[in-house]
Amino acid sequence: MDSYDKEGGRAELAANPRSTAPDPSPPGAPAASRSAGAHPAPSPGADAGPGTDPGADADPAADADAVPAPRTGGIAGLSMPYQVVASVALAVVSVLACYHLAMVFLHVAPSNTLTKQHGKAVDEWVFPEFEQNWKLFAPNPLQQNIAVHARAEITTADGGRRTTGWIDLTADDGEAIRGNLLPSHVNQNELRRGWDFFVNSHTTDNRPNGLRGRLSERYIRRIAMLRLDAHDLGGRVERIQLRSSTRGIQAPVWSEERADTRTYYRTLPWWTVTAADLPAGVERGGDGGRTEAHQ
């Protein structure tokens, strides 16, 4: 061993080549500077020497605080069964969306070879839920309130017949919509679109102008029977009659336009109710207060 004297003390230097060398920093220098000067950080690619474990000097606490690798997002992050289910669902939704867009496009597009050959399939897909019209964006949009009323001729329990008063079916739908954060598509559009379907396929004297006219009659009768089923009519329905109530909307106070706000009625003839006018086609036997299709 080698030795040297420093301020009266005795120090020994070990023969180990990695032993600490004397601090060359001047007195009074910060400890961090002296430490950095005495022990320079090894370069990342420096050879630790033969037999040296690269992870021997690693700090276990640093490994514990290491940020884990992020997981793969999306479908790839799911297990294989869920990946298959998600892929199939995505494919089905994509196909349906493309099919729907194609059908709506053919419906609004001018007459062409495809619509001439497959017009029936397009109409069956579009009507009545997805029908397109320009009333909202037309130069003269709809400026009327139209309500559909119904009344029925019923057979009472004692065998007599009587006619009910007019029931505002549109008001019933409006009551179901008001205050409802998620109103039903049935309450919003079924009756309104059914009546538009009937009016557009009939003449002003209520005569059908084609096959669609007969279809619209059956459709509006079924809607009316479903609505009347919610009312206690006191007997079995034999016949029903519909009418529309049309009233113009009052012009705003700042406008000089004058609108006719009188109410006009369009009354349809009486229709005999059959089992075909209810989707179930079932006669509800004898409860008296429910709507029953007469067979």
Side-chain angles (χ1 to χ4, degrees):
M1 296 184 188
D2 297 330
S3 63
Y4 69 96
D5 293 325
K6 185 177 180 182
E7 297 179 355
R10 188 78 174 173
E12 292 182 351
L13 295 178
N16 189 343
R18 300 184 62 184
S19 60
T20 304
D23 189 356
S25 302
S33 300
R34 294 196 302 270
S35 175
H39 304 283
S43 61
D47 189 3
T52 304
D53 185 3
D57 297 333
D59 188 359
D63 294 338
D65 295 338
V67 178
R71 295 185 62 184
T72 305
I75 297 179
L78 303 175
S79 61
M80 182 57 66
Y82 287 103
Q83 287 186 27
V84 174
V85 173
S87 300
V88 171
L90 183 60
V92 171
V93 171
S94 300
V95 170
L96 286 178
C98 294
Y99 182 80
H100 175 72
L101 291 176
M103 286 297 186
V104 174
F105 173 78
L106 292 175
H107 175 69
V108 300
S111 179
N112 53 69
T113 304
L114 285 177
T115 55
K116 291 178 181 179
Q117 294 180 353
H118 307 287
K120 183 178 179 181
V122 173
D123 290 343
E124 289 178 351
W125 178 267
V126 172
F127 291 106
E129 289 83 2
F130 308 116
E131 183 179 358
Q132 306 293 309
N133 61 68
W134 299 98
K135 290 183 178 180
L136 179 61
F137 304 101
N140 185 23
L142 189 64
Q143 299 179 9
Q144 297 172 326
N145 285 325
I146 301 176
V148 180
H149 304 161
R151 65 178 178 177
E153 184 181 278
I154 63 173
T155 300
T156 58
D158 57 2
R161 286 204 176 194
R162 69 178 181 86
T163 302
T164 66
W166 289 104
I167 300 174
D168 193 340
L169 304 182
T170 301
D172 292 344
D173 285 350
E175 187 65 24
I177 293 172
R178 293 187 185 94
N180 191 344
L181 296 178
L182 298 173
S184 169
H185 175 74
V186 172
N187 297 124
Q188 295 181 84
N189 297 313
E190 184 181 52
L191 178 61
R192 177 179 63 86
R193 301 304 299 132
W195 182 258
D196 286 347
F197 183 25
F198 176 87
V199 171
N200 294 331
S201 58
H202 281 71
T203 61
T204 55
D205 58 351
N206 301 321
R207 295 181 181 274
N209 53 19
L211 295 177
R212 287 173 56 81
R214 296 297 183 187
L215 176 63
S216 68
E217 290 181 7
R218 294 196 299 270
Y219 185 59
I220 196 66
R221 281 204 303 267
R222 289 188 177 187
I223 294 176
M225 290 297 292
L226 288 172
R227 296 294 197 276
L228 292 175
D229 192 52
H231 295 267
D232 185 4
L233 302 180
R236 184 177 61 192
V237 175
E238 303 290 345
R239 298 194 302 167
I240 61 173
Q241 188 178 31
L242 301 179
R243 75 176 184 184
S244 64
S245 168
T246 305
R247 182 173 58 86
I249 299 175
Q250 180 66 46
V253 294
W254 45 264
S255 174
E256 297 181 356
E257 182 181 357
R258 295 293 180 264
D260 184 3
T261 58
R262 291 177 295 178
T263 301
Y264 295 90
Y265 294 97
R266 176 176 179 174
T267 304
L268 306 186
W270 284 94
W271 285 326
T272 300
V273 176
T274 66
D277 294 324
L278 283 177
V282 177
E283 181 175 359
R284 300 179 177 93
D287 59 355
R290 302 296 299 276
T291 303
E292 301 175 43
H294 179 59
Q295 299 188 23

